[in-house]
């Protein structure tokens, strides 16, 4: 060691009362790093909730001052004060993540834990240990060289660099304040989405009221339409005019989206794009014509990641005018129980339905269940009777043959109508409905739901995973399909679905991306009315991610899977399930002007960025998403 360095280090050591300089540097760096994270938190919270923004600014200033003071004027009093203050910050953080704070946008509701606040808290916890060590003076001052001091300081320095990077990344990718998906542009005439309503007409009018309200079901809080989970089944005839009044008695804003129905854009229920979310105590009227017959559903499209699993969904069935005679017609909404991963059908893990021998039964399966983080689909299969799949997503298949049992991969949002004849004796059972395994799977088994139809002997158990998979690309028989047969597309767009770490909405997280970007910054698909648009959808994850990609306001004609053209019946769906490593080609006719969402229906994927819009030329929206309006469409 060079004598001068030793002398310097020695004199420094004396100036610092014999404390190890590395400890002081470390604690200063850690405190400054936490301050950087709090500055980025201030950037994110200021527009959302002013008191927190101001709090984080003061906290960051205090921490910077502390970091400087630790180096310049170290002393026992300072360390004791810093220890108490830092412990206090950790205490407030723990409360905010467990019971919630009284001063918050939503008082007493716990905040989610993110990569940033964990990093800041870890750094503060290490600082507390260092403050304790600094308060107990070392018995014998040691002198150290600069290199050794630098080495001893490097872990804290690395942590601070990480904190600075996280802080900069999140400050640059904040929660949007007021993002407009299709702003009105100066000097360009445009039609506002609010004007895209159903024309007046004399269709038979069906009126409904859906009251969003909090109730307790089996000891658990549920957010419901009309007090039940699922909400009421709305049954109408094709061509009816529906007028549905949403009354909001929830503590938060909400909306209703009519999943699969080709409604006018103003009635689509997407908070922040086609309307403002309907605040507590307010109401809103949706009006549209049920132009397509089939099995559909409705659900909140305001903060759906939170609101759908709490119970804000229900079935909507549109009967064709000449309904074939069917003795039994059951809607089976498959869902997770509010606040749980437990799977149920119409609220029951084991449902029993009536049917007499030889009766024809239609089961309208709707998958409203929140899957695991991979988006793993349900695999319903019927045992005890051969069956046909009469329709997918409400659209009839041509000449569906009777088969079975096979597992039908059904992603969230998708529907399948099964039709079968009851055997002359014994029951029929729907199996293959299993809930998401908990992240810590060993803590509890995935739940299983069944539906038993009829009475008498129950068919023997089958291993659903071993059953063949139903293949929609070679089922039924060919029929004319205007989009398929034409084979000409005005526009082809690639939709590449990916997963990876990154900054989004003021945090660092695993993101689900479309074309490498996350919502609301995925470049929209621009279309003009009348175009036929082809989408080439690629799932770049080869292992286990499933993405049910849902289009609003339109219906896809499926063209091909993995490059192989459809061999059987035309298949028309609003949600195409893109399995690991798969590619799907679909096309739709742009015949319903508006600003329409296209997103993964695995709610956690949509939240993590897998969402975008299809923007018609000449259409704009006055609504914005983000903290200013409180609209959260995904
Ligand atoms: Cu069923 Cu955009 O949703
Ligand atoms: Cu997905």
């Amino acid at each position: 060691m060079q004598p001068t360095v030793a002398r310097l280090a020695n004199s420094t050591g004396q100036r610092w009362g014999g404390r190890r300089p590395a400890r002081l540097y470390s604690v200063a760096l850690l405190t400054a790093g936490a301050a950087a994270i709090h500055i980025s938190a201030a950037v994110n919270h200021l527009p959302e909730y002013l008191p927190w923004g101001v709090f984080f600014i003061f906290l960051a200033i205090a921490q910077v001052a502390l970091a400087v003071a630790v180096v310049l004027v170290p002393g026992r009093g300072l360390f004791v004060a810093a220890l108490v203050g830092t412990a206090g910050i950790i205490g407030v953080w723990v409360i905010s993540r467990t019971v919630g704070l009284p001063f918050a946008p939503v008082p007493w509701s716990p905040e989610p834990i993110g990569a940033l606040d964990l990093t800041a808290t870890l750094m503060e916890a290490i600082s507390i240990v260092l403050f304790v060590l600094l308060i107990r003076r070392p018995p014998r001052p040691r002198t150290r060289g600069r290199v050794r001091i630098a080495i001893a300081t490097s872990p804290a320095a690395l942590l601070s660099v990480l904190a600075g990077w996280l802080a900069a990344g999140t400050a640059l990718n904040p929660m949007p304040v007021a993002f407009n998906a299709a702003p009105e542009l100066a000097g360009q005439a445009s039609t506002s989405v609010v004007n895209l309503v159903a024309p007046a007409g004399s269709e038979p009018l069906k009126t409904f009221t859906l009251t969003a309200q909090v109730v307790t079901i089996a000891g658990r809080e549920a957010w419901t339409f009309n007090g039940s989970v699922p909400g009421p089944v709305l049954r109408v005839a094709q061509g009816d005019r529906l007028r549905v009044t949403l009354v909001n008695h929830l503590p938060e804003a909400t909306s209703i989206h009519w999943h699969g129905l080709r409604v006018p854009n103003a009635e689509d229920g997407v908070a922040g794009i086609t309307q403002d979310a309907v605040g507590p105590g307010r109401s809103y009227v949706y009006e549209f014509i049920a132009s397509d017959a089939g099995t559909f559903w409705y659900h909140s499209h305001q903060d759906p990641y939170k609101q759908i699993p709490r119970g804000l969904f229900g079935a909507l069935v549109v009967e064709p005018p000449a309904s074939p005679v069917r003795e039994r017609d059951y809607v089976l909404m498959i869902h997770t129980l509010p606040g749980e991963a437990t799977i149920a059908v119409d609220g029951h893990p084991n449902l029993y339905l009536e049917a007499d021998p030889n009766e024809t039964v239609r089961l309208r399966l709707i998958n409203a269940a929140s899957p695991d983080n991979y988006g793993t689909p349900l695999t319903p299969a019927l045992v005890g009777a051969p069956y046909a799949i009469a329709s997918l997503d409400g659209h009839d298949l041509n000449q569906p043959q009777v088969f079975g049992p096979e597992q039908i991969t059904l992603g969230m949002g998708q529907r399948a109508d099964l039709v079968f004849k009851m055997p002359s004796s014994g029951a029929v059972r729907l199996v293959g409905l299993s809930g998401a395994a908990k992240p810590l799977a060993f803590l509890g088994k995935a739940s299983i739901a069944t539906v038993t139809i009829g009475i008498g002997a129950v068919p023997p158990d089958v291993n659903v995973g071993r059953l063949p998979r139903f293949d929609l690309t070679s089922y039924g028989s060919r029929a004319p399909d205007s989009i398929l047969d034409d084979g000409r597309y005005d526009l082809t767009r690639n939709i590449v679905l990916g997963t990876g770490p990154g900054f989004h909405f003021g945090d660092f997280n695993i993101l689900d991306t479309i074309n490498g970007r996350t919502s609301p910054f995925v470049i929209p698909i621009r279309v003009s009315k009348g175009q036929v648009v082809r989408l080439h959808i690629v799932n770049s994850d080869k292992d286990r991610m499933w993405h049910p990609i849902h289009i609003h306001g339109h219906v896809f004609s499926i063209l091909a899977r993995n490059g192989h053209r459809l061999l059987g019946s035309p298949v028309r769906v609003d949600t195409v399930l893109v399995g690991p490593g798969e590619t799907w080609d679909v096309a739709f006719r742009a015949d319903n002007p508006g600003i329409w969402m296209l997103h993964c229906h695995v709610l956690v994927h949509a939240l993590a960025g897998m969402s975008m819009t299809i923007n018609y030329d000449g259409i704009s929206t006055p609504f914005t998403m983000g903290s200013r309006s409180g609209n959260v469409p995904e």
Side-chain angles (χ1 to χ4, degrees):
M1 191 189 302
Q2 288 174 351
T4 44
V5 174
R7 212 179 314 124
L8 180 85
N10 197 22
S11 70
T12 317
Q14 275 155 11
R15 176 152 72 81
W16 287 340
R19 290 187 182 86
R20 294 185 194 175
R23 273 185 195 155
L24 293 166
Y25 289 143
S26 294
V27 90
L29 282 166
L30 292 170
T31 307
I37 287 180
H38 291 137
I39 290 168
S40 87
V43 170
N44 276 297
H45 282 297
L46 266 176
E48 179 207 17
Y49 185 62
L50 188 70
W52 280 7
V54 173
F55 168 77
F56 280 118
I57 289 176
F58 278 106
L59 180 56
I61 291 173
Q63 286 182 315
V64 170
L66 174 62
V68 173
V70 160
V71 176
L72 295 185
V73 286
R76 201 176 207 145
L78 176 70
F79 298 144
V80 171
L83 173 69
V84 172
T86 308
I89 294 164
I90 294 182
V92 171
W93 177 80
V94 169
I95 294 170
S96 72
R97 262 61 187 176
T98 49
V99 288
L101 295 169
F103 305 102
V106 186
W108 301 119
S109 100
E111 290 282 305
I113 296 177
L116 259 86
D117 50 275
L118 270 182
T119 309
T121 305
L122 172 71
M123 296 172 82
E124 286 157 358
I126 300 173
S127 322
I128 286 187
V129 174
L130 291 174
F131 283 128
V132 170
L133 292 175
L134 287 165
I135 290 166
R136 308 172 31 237
R137 285 166 191 246
R140 191 158 42 89
R142 285 200 223 162
T143 51
R144 283 189 161 185
R146 266 188 190 170
V147 175
R148 283 170 157 237
I149 293 172
I151 289 171
T153 311
S154 58
L158 275 177
L159 263 180
S160 307
V161 169
L162 170 73
W165 175 72
L166 283 174
T170 50
L172 293 173
N173 295 278
M175 202 79 178
V177 176
F179 182 87
N180 186 313
E184 193 180 353
L185 299 176
Q188 272 180 37
S190 64
T191 305
S192 164
V193 296
V194 299
N195 296 318
L196 301 171
V197 297
S202 57
E203 299 82 8
L205 183 67
K206 300 280 168 68
T207 58
F208 300 94
T209 299
L210 292 174
T211 303
Q213 56 195 131
V214 183
V215 299
T216 303
I217 298 176
R220 289 228 179 213
E221 179 182 304
W223 287 25
T224 68
F225 289 117
N226 296 2
S228 66
V229 176
V233 177
L234 309 184
R235 254 185 205 268
V236 300
Q238 187 173 16
D240 280 352
R241 175 178 288 263
L242 276 80
R243 188 177 291 158
V244 186
T245 305
L246 162 65
V247 179
N248 185 7
H249 288 167
L250 300 171
E252 289 178 29
T254 192
S255 77
I256 304 179
H257 166 64
W258 312 97
H259 181 122
L261 286 158
R262 296 188 279 174
V263 302
N265 198 218
E267 314 300 331
D268 200 37
V270 179
I273 296 182
T274 64
Q275 66 172 94
D276 276 325
V278 181
R282 309 190 69 125
S283 61
Y284 191 90
V285 179
Y286 296 94
E287 184 164 324
F288 54 88
I289 295 152
S291 52
D292 290 315
T295 306
F296 304 99
W297 63 304
Y298 60 89
H299 60 74
S300 163
H301 225 300
Q302 158 69 2
D303 203 356
Y305 171 70
K306 192 165 88 185
Q307 295 198 352
I308 295 178
R310 288 184 177 184
L312 290 170
F313 56 84
L316 197 165
V317 174
V318 184
E319 302 269 11
S323 226
V325 184
R326 259 181 256 111
E327 284 97 342
R328 304 279 178 177
D329 185 322
Y330 290 113
V331 177
L332 299 181
M333 190 123 217
I334 308 156
H335 61 99
T336 33
L337 291 175
E340 298 179 37
T342 310
I343 199 140
V345 182
D346 292 331
H348 305 279
N350 295 295
L351 190 67
Y352 292 86
L353 301 174
E354 280 178 17
D356 296 325
N358 302 316
E359 265 188 328
T360 306
V361 181
R362 187 182 191 102
L363 300 180
R364 300 172 182 269
L365 311 186
I366 306 174
N367 184 358
S370 300
D372 59 19
N373 287 344
Y374 305 111
T376 309
L378 298 173
T379 53
L382 197 69
V383 288
Y387 53 103
I389 299 185
S391 73
L392 289 172
D393 284 2
H395 301 276
D396 285 349
L397 298 172
N398 184 50
Q399 297 180 345
Q401 61 268 36
V402 171
F403 68 99
E406 289 184 10
Q407 46 172 323
I408 306 162
T409 49
L410 201 66
M412 189 179 182
Q414 296 189 294
R415 287 89 66 213
D417 287 21
L418 312 188
V419 175
F420 63 96
K421 196 169 176 227
M422 285 297 290
S424 47
S425 76
V428 172
R429 182 167 269 182
L430 185 70
V431 296
L433 310 177
S434 61
K438 309 247 165 48
L440 299 171
F442 56 90
L443 288 182
K445 276 227 202 123
S447 66
I448 307 274
T450 61
V451 181
T452 309
I453 306 108
I455 47 168
V458 175
D461 275 350
V462 292
N463 183 338
V464 180
R466 294 252 170 83
L467 295 177
R469 274 207 173 156
F470 169 71
D471 179 3
L472 65 79
T473 65
S474 59
Y475 181 65
S477 56
R478 301 190 72 134
D481 178 293
S482 64
I483 289 185
L484 226 62
D485 301 340
D486 199 11
R488 289 215 322 269
Y489 310 103
D490 300 299
L491 213 63
T492 295
R493 289 286 176 267
N494 289 333
I495 302 284
V496 179
L497 309 169
T499 301
F503 291 103
H504 181 59
F505 286 1
D507 208 341
F508 183 78
N509 235 323
I510 302 297
L511 306 181
D512 293 296
T513 58
I514 299 179
N515 300 336
R517 294 174 173 243
T518 49
S519 63
F521 305 111
V522 181
I523 313 284
I525 296 172
R526 300 201 59 102
V527 303
S528 1
K529 191 172 180 207
Q531 286 182 320
V532 177
V533 184
R534 173 169 162 255
L535 301 182
H536 179 66
I537 310 175
V538 179
N539 185 348
S540 58
D541 182 277
K542 307 266 182 290
D543 300 327
R544 54 189 309 184
M545 299 296 281
W546 295 77
H547 301 297
I549 299 298
H550 171 52
I551 188 171
H552 284 213
H554 300 78
V555 180
F556 291 137
S557 288
I558 291 184
L559 307 178
R561 181 181 64 192
N562 297 335
H564 303 296
R565 276 187 77 90
L566 224 62
L567 298 172
S569 164
V571 178
R572 309 183 68 230
V573 293
D574 53 70
T575 309
V576 58
L577 180 61
V578 187
E582 286 183 342
T583 63
W584 288 80
D585 289 275
V586 299
F588 66 93
R589 191 180 302 281
D591 55 5
N592 193 5
I595 309 299
W596 299 100
M597 286 195 92
L598 177 73
H599 63 90
C600 179
H601 218 292
V602 175
L603 304 171
V604 66
H605 294 176
L607 180 74
M610 196 169 275
S611 178
M612 63 180 295
T613 56
I614 294 166
N615 294 10
Y616 276 68
D617 286 333
I619 308 290
S620 62
T621 176
F623 304 109
T624 62
M625 51 188 92
S627 43
R628 186 164 303 154
S629 60
N631 292 322
V632 185
E634 76 262 317

